[in-house]
């Protein structure tokens, strides 16, 4: 793996919330251009280093987020006002997965789940304008 890919993967693995390609680009301090970052992200997904999901925001459009592939699968809460993601801990859907597999005769290999609403700080504000980023 190249030095740049190692650097990018380290940043993703150290992150406390899912990241966009632009978040990674800004953090890379111009060591990698966006095309290099997208190629690296594609490589990381193909080789099982990261997972991704798409999220649509009325103001920002559809964004793709990347987060490290961990042994313990996790879910997220997304604040529609400040755009922060909060990890919700280990997955609690294993029993539901088993029931769905049996009921529909399918094999579930993975799932993505996130909740959207307002974090404690944003819920207290009067203006709850979705995707009004504070950063």
């Amino acid at each position: 793996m190249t030095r740049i890919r190692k650097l990018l993967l380290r940043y993703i693995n150290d992150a406390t919330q899912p990241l966009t390609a632009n978040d990674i680009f800004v953090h890379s301090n111009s060591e990698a251009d966006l095309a290099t970052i997208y190629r690296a992200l594609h490589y990381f997904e193909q080789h099982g280093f990261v997972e991704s999901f798409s999220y649509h925001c009325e103001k920002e459009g559809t964004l793709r987020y990347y987060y490290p592939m961990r042994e313990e699968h996790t879910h997220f809460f997304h604040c529609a006002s400040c755009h922060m993601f909060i990890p919700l801990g280990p997955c609690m859907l294993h029993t539901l997965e088993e029931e769905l597999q049996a009921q529909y005769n399918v094999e579930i290999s993975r799932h993505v789940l996130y909740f959207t609403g307002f974090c404690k700080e944003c819920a207290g504000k009067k203006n709850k304008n979705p995707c009004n980023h504070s950063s």
Side-chain angles (χ1 to χ4, degrees), residues 32-45:
D33 59 24
L34 269 174
T36 300
I37 289 170
Y38 278 112
R39 283 192 302 273
L41 290 169
H42 179 73
Y43 173 87
F44 296 155
E45 280 192 288

Side-chain angles (χ1 to χ4, degrees), residues 48-117:
F49 295 115
V50 300
E51 291 187 77
S52 70
F53 63 91
S54 295
Y55 175 78
H56 182 75
C57 169
E58 290 296 320
K59 183 177 178 187
E60 300 294 323
T62 301
L63 299 171
R64 187 164 183 160
Y65 289 90
Y66 300 88
Y67 58 101
M69 189 93 135
R70 304 214 193 271
E71 266 186 53
E72 203 164 74
H73 176 73
T74 190
H75 299 138
F76 301 97
F77 173 85
H78 174 263
C79 179
S81 182
C82 69
H83 210 56
M84 178 176 63
F85 279 91
I86 300 170
L88 298 177
C91 179
M92 295 178 264
L93 298 178
H94 299 297
T95 303
L96 177 61
E97 274 187 358
E98 291 171 6
E99 291 173 11
L100 291 170
Q101 289 179 118
Q103 182 177 351
Y104 294 101
N105 196 26
V106 297
E107 184 178 321
I108 298 172
S109 58
R110 67 181 280 235
H111 68 267
V112 176
L113 177 65
Y114 58 85
F115 297 92
T116 300

Side-chain angles (χ1 to χ4, degrees), residues 23-38:
D23 294 333
I24 298 165
F25 173 70
V26 169
H27 178 76
S28 75
N29 295 321
S30 301
E31 287 206 43
D33 59 24
L34 269 174
T36 300
I37 289 170
Y38 278 112

